[in-house]
Amino acid sequence: MPQTIHRGYKALVDEANAQVKTMTAAEAIAAARRDDVVIIDIRDPREIEREGRIPGAFACTRGMLEFWIDPESPYAKPVFQQDKTFIFHCAGGLRSALAAKTAQDMGLKPVAHIAGGFGAWREAGGPTETVAPRAPR
């Protein structure tokens, strides 16, 4: 029997965008210059290697987000315990909307995400850097 999805990804993204601050790429580029801002890159490591990254961004795959944010988790990362503004991005702005909403729901604040993601950042002239592929294991 096929599954019946009652709330698809579009509804989830729309809900996230209604509840989380969405920044334009230009706004995010300006904000990234401040010391009180952390850019969080939730793309897969292969995407980062293929497309590059925002200099200084903290890489956190979407699958580890909740575990890295929660200070009670054995996987907690100190970056998320700082009194900063957290601006999330992915490739195109969908996953980052969901990630920012999850972070906000957990109590992380303030949070935002970049409309259009890394692609919009690059198109707006934001700085990027290449990433060397990891050595095969």
Side-chain angles (χ1 to χ4, degrees), residues 31-67:
R33 295 183 187 114
R34 299 191 337 239
D35 290 336
D36 66 335
V37 169
V38 178
I39 304 292
I40 306 293
D41 187 339
I42 63 158
R43 295 175 299 154
D44 181 275
R46 291 172 297 234
E47 291 177 274
I48 295 170
E49 291 172 1
R50 185 175 59 245
E51 301 294 326
R53 69 175 173 201
I54 296 171
F58 180 79
C60 173
T61 60
R62 179 66 187 92
M64 291 304 293
L65 182 66
E66 294 85 348
F67 301 99

Side-chain angles (χ1 to χ4, degrees), residues 56-107:
F58 180 79
C60 173
T61 60
R62 179 66 187 92
M64 291 304 293
L65 182 66
E66 294 85 348
F67 301 99
W68 286 11
I69 289 174
D70 186 348
E72 299 297 319
S73 165
Y75 303 105
K77 297 292 183 186
V79 67
F80 290 112
Q81 311 315 311
Q82 300 178 72
D83 185 19
K84 305 266 185 170
T85 296
F86 297 90
I87 302 173
F88 292 81
H89 83 85
C90 60
L94 301 178
R95 290 173 290 170
S96 61
L98 298 174
K101 182 179 181 306
T102 296
Q104 183 172 281
D105 288 349
M106 291 180 72

Side-chain angles (χ1 to χ4, degrees), residues 1-12 15:
M1 171 190 319
Q3 297 292 322
T4 302
I5 302 300
H6 299 283
R7 288 181 61 217
Y9 81 92
K10 290 178 184 177
L12 294 172
E15 179 182 301

Side-chain angles (χ1 to χ4, degrees), residues 4-27:
T4 302
I5 302 300
H6 299 283
R7 288 181 61 217
Y9 81 92
K10 290 178 184 177
L12 294 172
V13 170
D14 288 347
E15 179 182 301
N17 279 322
Q19 295 180 24
V20 172
K21 180 178 180 176
T22 301
M23 301 179 90
T24 66
E27 290 170 330

